[in-house]
Amino acid sequence: MKTYIPKNDEQNWVVVDAAGVPLGRLATLIASRIRGKHRPDFTPNMIQGDFVVVLNAAQVALTGNKLDGKVYTRYTGYQGGLKTETAREALAKHPERVIEHAVFGMLPKGRQGRAMHPRLKVYAGETHPHSAQKPQKLEVR
């Protein structure tokens, strides 16, 4: 019996404009594109998704009280080294990491998820260096 193996040769590039789009809606769209769930031949154990370029990360929308209520924490490794910052502070300092944090939390954990991380390119402004790949524009509803 011959089994069907999906082709993994097409690497599409997609551009998403994050200006005014809620963070969660944007992150779910990006995570499913990176994973390849939009393809008819989706296979869970293969990485066959698209490369996603996100522009205007500094203008992403957070609804409700999330700008001051959402807190990002990290631990330095030293005693008493728990660092916290609100979403407002994080968007002011490094807006790329806010979108990366949301998307990476929706990708699989483990070896396969770590292999998907380089497929996400996030930029705070309008410009990006990936014009040679001829990315297609993806509208977020």
Side-chain angles (χ1 to χ4, degrees):
M1 175 185 248
K2 191 172 182 178
T3 58
Y4 174 70
I5 300 171
K7 283 189 175 180
N8 198 13
D9 55 357
E10 52 182 78
Q11 305 286 325
N12 297 329
W13 285 72
V14 176
V15 172
V16 178
D17 189 8
V21 180
L23 178 63
R25 290 185 189 273
L26 180 72
T28 53
L29 175 85
I30 293 170
S32 69
R33 285 301 260 201
I34 290 174
R35 185 115 192 263
K37 295 191 93 171
H38 64 286
R39 296 171 50 118
D41 60 346
F42 169 68
T43 310
N45 62 340
M46 290 183 68
I47 300 174
Q48 53 192 8
D50 297 342
F51 286 83
V52 179
V53 179
V54 181
L55 303 178
N56 295 323
Q59 300 170 15
V60 71
L62 287 164
T63 58
N65 192 29
K66 293 190 195 94
L67 272 175
D68 298 314
K70 187 171 184 61
V71 178
Y72 295 101
T73 60
R74 61 187 174 85
Y75 182 60
T76 63
Y78 290 95
Q79 289 181 349
L82 187 68
K83 303 288 183 185
T84 61
E85 67 180 354
T86 64
R88 186 182 303 272
E89 295 166 351
L91 275 173
K93 281 190 214 170
H94 34 72
E96 303 89 8
R97 289 192 212 162
V98 173
I99 293 179
E100 287 174 1
H101 186 271
V103 172
F104 292 162
M106 296 180 184
L107 291 178
K109 307 322 181 253
R111 187 182 306 173
Q112 187 183 24
R114 286 189 299 274
M116 292 177 189
H117 283 195
R119 291 176 173 263
L120 176 64
K121 318 286 186 190
V122 185
Y123 299 99
E126 279 281 336
T127 59
H128 64 88
H130 306 289
S131 57
Q133 282 76 23
K134 298 184 181 94
Q136 302 164 348
K137 187 154 177 61
L138 182 68
E139 292 294 326
V140 183
R141 295 185 200 131

